[in-house]
Amino acid sequence: MRLDVVTIFPEYLEPLNVSLVGKARARGQLDVHVHDLRDWTYDRHNTVDDTPYGGGPGMVMKTDPWGEALDSALADGYETGSHAPALIVPTPSGRPFTQELAVELSERPWLVFTPARYEGIDRRVIDEYATRMPVYEVSIGDYVLAGGEAAVLVVTEAVARLLPGVLGNAESHRDDSFAPGAMANLLEGPVYTKPPRWRDRGIPETLLSGHHGRIARWRRDEALKRTTANRPDLIERCDPKAFDKKDREMLSILGWAPDPAGEPYGRFWRRVDGVEE
Ligand SMILES: C[S@@+](CC[C@H](N)C(=O)[O-])C[C@H]1O[C@@H](n2cnc3c(N)ncnc32)[C@H](O)[C@@H]1O
């Protein structure tokens, strides 16, 4: 996979040399190109921003540096045999970045990122490239960062670990919280490793039992507990067919019940008389 990032802070992308992404680069699974937007400015101050039309606070990133930088990155990629680029525009007004979207992006051969600063990029730049390639406007959460570089790191790491051969154990991401395709998207429960005692704290007995069925059930119950506590919205969205008899028992203990109007497969809601955890 080829990645291009255009930014006014190339040094902010240094973490792409480290850990999983760094190793994927070293192995040639990821071909990363970071471009300094200011290389496409021609005035003494290397200006990349200007005041907004219509007034208001803050500055807006100018069309010309972005247009030239993107044209250059794209031309370079095409010359070296890359194809089918997609533009990834980090913005708090984008669609939420989810595991499902990470999977979709991991299947593309070439991602071009446009992390902005100030109040963002002149809209005409996004509209222009949308005529040539798919554009994903992506938000990594309901908060506003000072710039999109951290979002690029987040998206890149989530995508890179899904690429074939990048994770040592290909199974690792199948059980992840938010693994897509499952009827029930549950959060992963707690995990433990050696030593068996630490500061007087032991390991849940089931995990030491060697009994695969009981361990799987324990993990599922813990996932249900964590999801009902931290992300009740995920339980409400779950296809109720995804819950087996034991899940339903655990959900009932946790204070959840199927919507009676939806019988035989009503979605689960927290009971009004819900049992506190
Ligand atoms: C200060 S923000 C601009 C915020 C803009 N006024 C708005 O409310 O949409 C500057 C840049 O940081 C990045 N950014 C900020 N928050 C983000 C988020 N939650 N997800 C992705 N990118 C974000 C985007 O690249 C954005 O253009």
Side-chain angles (χ1 to χ4, degrees), residues 90-93 114-120 138-141 143-148 151:
T91 166
S93 49
T114 61
R117 291 266 149 182
Y118 316 110
E119 294 308 317
V138 172
S139 166
I140 61 161
Y143 40 77
V144 179
L145 301 164

Side-chain angles (χ1 to χ4, degrees), residues 38-55:
R38 295 198 199 272
D39 288 349
W40 288 274
T41 56
Y42 305 102
D43 63 315
R44 213 156 47 92
H45 302 290
N46 300 112
T47 310
V48 292
D49 59 315
D50 208 336
T51 52
Y53 274 117

Side-chain angles (χ1 to χ4, degrees), residues 1-272:
M1 173 184 273
R2 175 170 169 136
L3 300 183
D4 284 87
V5 187
V6 180
T7 168
I8 58 169
F9 292 122
E11 61 276 25
Y12 209 122
L13 281 307
E14 277 298 310
L16 295 180
N17 289 315
V18 180
S19 185
L20 177 133
V21 175
K23 283 190 195 142
R25 288 179 80 171
R27 284 197 295 259
Q29 290 156 323
L30 265 184
D31 178 21
V32 180
H33 301 255
V34 178
H35 313 270
D36 187 343
L37 182 69
R38 295 198 199 272
D39 288 349
W40 288 274
T41 56
Y42 305 102
D43 63 315
R44 213 156 47 92
H45 302 290
N46 300 112
T47 310
V48 292
D49 59 315
D50 208 336
T51 52
Y53 274 117
M59 300 292 271
V60 174
M61 296 191 97
K62 289 159 68 66
T63 48
D64 271 345
W66 277 104
E68 288 188 35
L70 288 171
D71 286 350
S72 163
L74 289 165
D76 179 68
Y78 284 124
E79 259 164 45
T80 56
S82 294
H83 66 284
L87 199 68
I88 316 298
V89 181
T91 166
S93 49
R95 66 195 262 200
F97 182 60
T98 59
Q99 188 65 15
E100 203 173 353
L101 185 50
V103 170
E104 184 178 334
L105 297 182
S106 74
E107 286 159 2
R108 299 204 60 97
W110 185 6
L111 305 177
V112 182
F113 291 91
T114 61
R117 291 266 149 182
Y118 316 110
E119 294 308 317
I121 305 171
D122 186 309
R123 183 69 208 177
R124 289 169 294 179
V125 175
I126 317 302
D127 292 344
E128 164 75 11
Y129 289 90
T131 64
R132 306 189 208 169
M133 63 192 71
V135 172
Y136 296 81
E137 293 186 72
V138 172
S139 166
I140 61 161
D142 291 344
Y143 40 77
V144 179
L145 301 164
E149 289 77 9
V152 173
L153 296 176
V154 167
V155 173
T156 301
E157 187 154 317
V159 168
R161 68 191 286 283
L162 297 172
L163 297 178
V166 166
L167 276 192
N169 178 358
E171 302 279 302
S172 302
H173 57 72
R174 290 202 198 130
D175 294 337
D176 283 341
S177 303
F178 310 116
M183 284 190 290
N185 259 321
L186 300 182
L187 305 182
E188 205 173 274
V191 292
Y192 301 87
T193 185
K194 293 171 239 4
R197 279 213 93 66
W198 181 74
R199 298 191 181 174
D200 226 21
R201 291 166 188 276
I203 306 289
E205 252 188 58
T206 311
L207 295 181
L208 304 171
S209 69
H211 189 296
H212 296 307
R214 278 179 52 206
I215 292 173
R217 185 65 249 166
W218 182 88
R219 288 194 169 136
R220 180 85 177 168
D221 286 346
E222 292 301 312
L224 286 166
K225 284 184 202 165
R226 196 171 264 189
T227 313
T228 50
N230 293 344
R231 292 293 305 276
D233 57 305
L234 292 179
I235 301 281
E236 285 162 12
R237 287 210 301 264
C238 269
D239 182 339
K241 292 202 249 350
F243 297 128
D244 66 15
K245 191 161 161 269
K246 297 270 182 205
D247 291 340
R248 286 161 184 270
E249 278 168 24
M250 177 48 79
L251 282 168
S252 172
I253 291 168
L254 295 168
W256 289 66
D259 178 357
E263 286 294 344
Y265 289 121
R267 284 188 187 270
F268 275 76
W269 298 95
R270 200 188 285 276
R271 285 199 309 263
V272 187

